[in-house]
């Protein structure tokens, strides 16, 4: 008997195709269906995995082999398609953002409860070993209090054509909702408590769309700063997260981090076991320690493993083997921060 969990993917675009390839390598799931409004694309992708192709969601939801729907359509469709999925008794692996508004996200959470199914959001950082190490360092208290978290995200917006849904706020929700949610959630995880936005601003291209946003927040007594710019190309993009502790600095580089750097006066026996991958350690002339933990397998492998870990967690949660690592409520909390940042920055500056 085939004990694999049947997964359907809806929205076989750029990221959907990456997810299909990624899911196909998981022994515990089987891709049973692929839907896309572009039925040729659905057929082509379904054929690669021996799955059934669908041109619409309603027909796919009638397929009894589908246990989980991975929703990879643009953000403005997540609410309606997510609701249809949950009401059909299917579990939801939702791409971020969970929805465009807090009311829509709350409706999805209610629908999951009412229909006795689970929903989670594909927040890949929650399954990244270097983000997990940052959270473990904070939780251990070995570096003292977490004072400040800083994100500088210079992303490849120049590679997105002007008519891409990303630039249309009614489709993407805007930068905070489409992309910021990842980091609002990751910072809450690292800080161990929810955050609150205190200030926000936005910058538009000359005569054009908003392509840079910035906000201040606090997570309890930890201050936070977020800067998202979609004004770089794939060749020049760069993401840096700096966490400042009472006794040390932690740096994560790149949007999918493959390394973590730590500079601290605290001796390694207090924190070395919390670092993943290959660790190099160099005592500094000033008496501090500089450690770098690296994933030798590279970015694509780390990214795929993070997506797989999220789907695997949902499969195990459905089977009652473990709790969800990313709950619907956490999807809503991070979305609420994004909506607040959006509202505070409603009047673009400069
Ligand atoms: N978690 C991550 O790391 C990550 C990374 C990239 C993108 N994403 C998210 O994935 C989602 C998709 O992004 P993308 O870059 O792949 O977009 P995309 O535009 O490349 O793909 C979207 C696909 O959905 C299809 N589609 C549109 N309307 C549809 C409908 N009504 N029914 C079925 N299919 C429909 C389109 O034809 C297209 O194939 C977004 O929510 C995005 O935020 C998440």
């Amino acid at each position: 008997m085939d004990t694999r969990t049947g997964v359907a993917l809806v929205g076989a675009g750029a990221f959907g195709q990456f997810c299909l390839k990624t899911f196909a390598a998981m022994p515990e799931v089987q891709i049973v269906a692929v839907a896309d409004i572009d039925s040729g694309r659905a057929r082509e992708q379904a054929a690669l995995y021996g799955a059934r192709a669908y041109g619409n969601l309603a027909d796919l939801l009638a397929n009894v082999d589908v246990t989980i729907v991975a929703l990879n359509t643009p953000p403005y469709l997540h609410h309606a398609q997510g609701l249809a999925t949950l009401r059909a008794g299917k579990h939801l692996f939702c791409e971020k953002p969970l929805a465009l508004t807090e009311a829509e996200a709350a409706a999805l959470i209610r629908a999951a409860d009412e229909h006795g199914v689970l929903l989670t959001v594909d927040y890949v950082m929650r399954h990244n070993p270097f983000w997990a190490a940052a959270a473990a360092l904070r939780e251990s208290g070995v570096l003292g209090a977490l004072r400040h978290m800083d994100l500088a995200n210079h992303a490849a917006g120049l590679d997105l054509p002007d008519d891409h849904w990303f630039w249309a706020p009614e489709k993407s929700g805007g930068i905070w909702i489409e992309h910021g949610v990842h980091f609002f959630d990751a910072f809450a995880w690292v800080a161990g408590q929810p955050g609150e936005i205190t200030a926000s601003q936005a910058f538009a291209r000359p005569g054009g769309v908003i392509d840079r946003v910035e906000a201040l927040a606090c997570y309890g007594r930890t201050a936070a700063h977020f800067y998202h710019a979609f004004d770089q190309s794939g060749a020049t993009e760069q993401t840096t997260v700096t966490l400042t502790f009472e006794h040390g600095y932690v740096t994560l580089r790149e949007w999918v981090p493959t390394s973590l750097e730590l500079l601290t006066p605290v001796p390694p026996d207090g924190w070395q076991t919390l670092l993943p991958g290959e660790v190099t350690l160099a005592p500094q002339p000033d008496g501090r320690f500089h450690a770098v933990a690296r994933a030798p397998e590279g970015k694509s492998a780390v990214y795929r493993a993070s997506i797989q870990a999220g789907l695997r967690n949902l499969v195990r949660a459905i089977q009652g083997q473990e709790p969800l690592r990313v709950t619907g409520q956490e999807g809503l909390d991070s979305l609420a921060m994004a909506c607040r940042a959006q509202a505070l920055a409603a009047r673009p500056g400069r």
Side-chain angles (χ1 to χ4, degrees), residues 271-307:
W271 45 260
Q272 204 166 1
T273 55
L274 299 176
L275 302 188
E278 291 177 355
V279 180
T280 53
L281 182 60
Q284 301 298 291
D286 63 7
R288 291 186 292 176
F289 300 90
H290 183 246
V292 182
R294 271 202 184 79
E297 63 271 31
K299 178 182 164 189
S300 183
V302 171
Y303 203 178
R304 280 167 198 252
S306 302
I307 297 166

Side-chain angles (χ1 to χ4, degrees), residues 20 46 57 73 108 126 156 163 165 221 223:
L20 281 170
L57 179 62
T73 49
L108 287 167
R126 290 287 206 103
D163 61 354
W165 56 257
R221 289 180 53 75

